[in-house]
Amino acid sequence: MSDTTTVPVETTDPVNARILAVSEDRVQGFQDEPFQEIARLSEVDLETVLERIRAMLASGTIRRVRQTLMATNLAPGALVAWQVEPERLDDAFEYMFREDPFSGHVVIRSTDRETPGSRYRLWTTLKVPQGYSMEKHAEFLMERTGALAYKLLPAHKLFALGVGHVRRRGLEPGARSEELGQVLDTNIVELSDLEWRILESLKREFAAEEITDHPWTARAEEAGVPLDQFLQTARDLNRRGVIGRFSTFLEHYKPNAAGERVTRYNALFHWRVPQGREIDAGREVGRHFVMTHAYWREGGPDFGGVNIMGVAHGTEKETVLAHKAAIDLHLEEAGIPVGYTNVFWGGRSEIKPSEISPFAYAEWCRRSGIDPEAMR
């Protein structure tokens, strides 16, 4: 391995930018040789791809490298809005981030104008493994953090899912695909104990020294199965829709080792469209390249009855708002009226993968002094 201290780690380095434009969210599904696929799509030789990803991970420019899963198909989940007293907000944030393996994105948000929903400052994603109650888990978190209230906002459908910050640089407001956004279901897939064991090894983050060709050989040994069985099981899970993408995740909110901020503004957009037009609206929103996530979620009265939500990022607030204005106009031109809309701006944030293993949940319950059966 080369000395990573002499390798460029800036996302603006031309070679790194070519690699990241692919490796953030273009390597879809399970790949037998994921780094070879990144090399092929980026047209950068394999040794350089391995060297640059290893260096960016070691420096913190890349915060994690992992095989992602379609967690919405493996564990019941929701976006959760929490109402917390201002003086307890930071403590609640820390608890969700550090103490709850099942809370993923943890973000403190604010709005430019006061609405009933503005009381909900803490936003998290929550996944609770199959067989356990999301409501009971949320009640436990509310008790531990002193939250006043919470709203579970599960996704009925997904229309966009792919966080590619580097390839989204310089997008013109309104830039969108010729095709409508895809409609992804959130049906739960049941797995055997062996499949869960292989999946746990598959999804674990890669350390810098693990960024090598043939990365699954060691993971098969970790799972205690032959490599051929590991690969075949992973391919089958991919066919069943539970594998997401192989991805390098950038440190985008905080400055990275090169002093860069990949993005400054994280905006959660809300739209209320007529009942029955949710899928139409979601597909129109999801086709816009700026959208990293787009979902059909029911916000209820506190959030103005919104039913389409999505996330966009940018380095300038005015540009993010220009993207939203272009989407608003496009919805109007598509004949989909918007009755209410809002933007929840992200401030302090931390992102970690949500644990989804039933085995891990039972162990967490025991460590927390809870009978796992009581959480079903």
Side-chain angles (χ1 to χ4, degrees):
M1 295 187 185
S2 61
D3 179 4
T4 58
T5 61
T6 64
V7 178
V9 296
E10 300 86 358
T11 64
T12 51
D13 174 85
V15 174
N16 290 346
R18 285 171 61 188
I19 293 169
L20 292 168
V22 169
S23 66
E24 280 195 88
D25 66 348
R26 288 290 180 86
V27 181
Q28 295 296 322
F30 175 76
Q31 303 287 333
D32 286 12
E33 300 290 352
F35 296 112
Q36 289 185 21
E37 182 68 2
I38 292 169
R40 184 183 72 82
L41 293 174
S42 66
E43 299 182 342
V44 176
D45 68 273
L46 177 61
E47 285 306 312
T48 300
V49 165
L50 295 172
E51 176 188 65
R52 295 301 182 92
I53 292 177
R54 193 181 300 129
M56 285 189 282
L57 180 61
S59 72
T61 298
I62 291 174
R63 71 173 184 267
R64 62 177 58 93
V65 178
R66 64 184 290 263
Q67 176 68 61
T68 71
L69 308 177
M70 291 300 293
T72 49
N73 298 115
L74 287 167
L79 182 65
V80 191
W82 301 90
Q83 187 180 340
V84 183
E85 294 285 9
E87 63 272 17
R88 305 190 73 165
L89 192 57
D90 284 330
D91 287 343
F93 180 103
E94 287 292 325
Y95 186 88
M96 300 290 194
F97 171 56
R98 299 188 185 282
E99 303 298 331
D100 184 38
F102 311 98
S103 293
H105 293 57
V106 184
V107 186
I108 294 176
R109 295 191 178 275
S110 60
T111 56
D112 290 332
R113 58 190 175 93
E114 287 298 313
T115 67
S118 300
R119 297 172 297 174
Y120 293 85
R121 296 287 314 283
L122 183 62
W123 292 72
T124 66
T125 55
L126 177 64
K127 296 284 190 300
V128 175
Q130 295 177 30
Y132 295 95
S133 167
M134 190 156 44
E135 290 77 9
K136 288 182 178 180
H137 193 88
E139 290 289 335
F140 172 85
L141 293 177
M142 187 167 73
E143 178 184 346
R144 286 297 175 95
T145 61
L148 301 175
Y150 67 88
K151 299 286 185 182
L152 292 175
L153 306 168
H156 299 292
K157 301 287 183 182
L158 287 71
F159 308 106
L161 188 63
V163 185
H165 296 297
V166 169
R167 69 177 177 83
R168 285 183 168 90
R169 286 175 177 161
L171 279 178
E172 290 295 322
R176 58 185 181 266
S177 71
E178 293 295 324
E179 304 296 327
L180 291 169
Q182 290 185 313
V183 182
L184 303 176
D185 289 317
T186 57
N187 301 323
I188 300 297
V189 176
E190 294 187 1
L191 304 183
S192 68
D193 286 355
L194 175 61
E195 288 169 332
W196 273 115
R197 192 167 83 235
I198 290 173
L199 203 65
E200 287 181 341
S201 293
L202 184 75
K203 70 183 180 67
R204 185 171 60 75
E205 294 177 23
F206 284 85
E209 60 271 17
E210 296 179 293
I211 307 299
T212 60
D213 204 4
H214 315 303
W216 303 126
T217 302
R219 295 300 172 91
E221 293 176 5
E222 177 183 298
V225 297
L227 177 61
D228 285 349
Q229 184 180 10
F230 184 95
L231 295 175
Q232 185 56 49
T233 300
R235 295 179 198 126
D236 183 59
L237 292 171
N238 190 48
R239 283 192 292 270
R240 292 161 67 187
V242 302
I243 303 294
R245 62 189 185 277
F246 189 87
S247 183
T248 61
F249 292 84
L250 294 177
E251 178 54 74
H252 58 273
Y253 177 68
K254 294 176 285 190
N256 62 25
E260 305 171 304
R261 283 186 186 270
V262 177
T263 187
R264 289 178 179 271
Y265 292 93
N266 163 355
L268 174 63
F269 298 154
H270 282 191
W271 292 276
R272 183 179 75 228
V273 302
Q275 189 174 4
R277 300 298 306 277
E278 294 92 347
I279 290 179
D280 295 336
R283 298 189 77 187
E284 296 292 355
V285 169
R287 73 194 291 185
H288 284 77
F289 298 134
V290 74
M291 301 303 299
T292 60
H293 303 76
Y295 306 93
W296 171 5
R297 302 183 189 273
E298 297 289 345
D302 278 347
F303 297 103
V306 300
N307 42 20
I308 301 297
M309 300 185 185
V311 176
H313 299 78
T315 55
E316 302 296 333
K317 185 174 183 179
E318 294 77 12
T319 303
V320 175
L321 288 173
H323 279 288
K324 183 179 181 298
I327 297 172
D328 293 347
L329 178 60
H330 177 72
L331 289 171
E332 180 183 330
E333 292 173 344
I336 303 172
V338 176
Y340 168 83
T341 186
N342 205 350
V343 180
F344 283 74
W345 297 99
R348 184 184 180 194
S349 68
E350 293 285 358
I351 300 173
K352 65 183 191 295
S354 297
E355 180 57 74
I356 56 173
S357 164
F359 307 134
Y361 194 83
E363 178 57 31
W364 172 83
C365 284
R366 287 188 283 269
R367 288 199 314 269
S368 303
I370 305 169
D371 178 2
E373 293 304 308
M375 299 298 281
R376 293 189 180 276

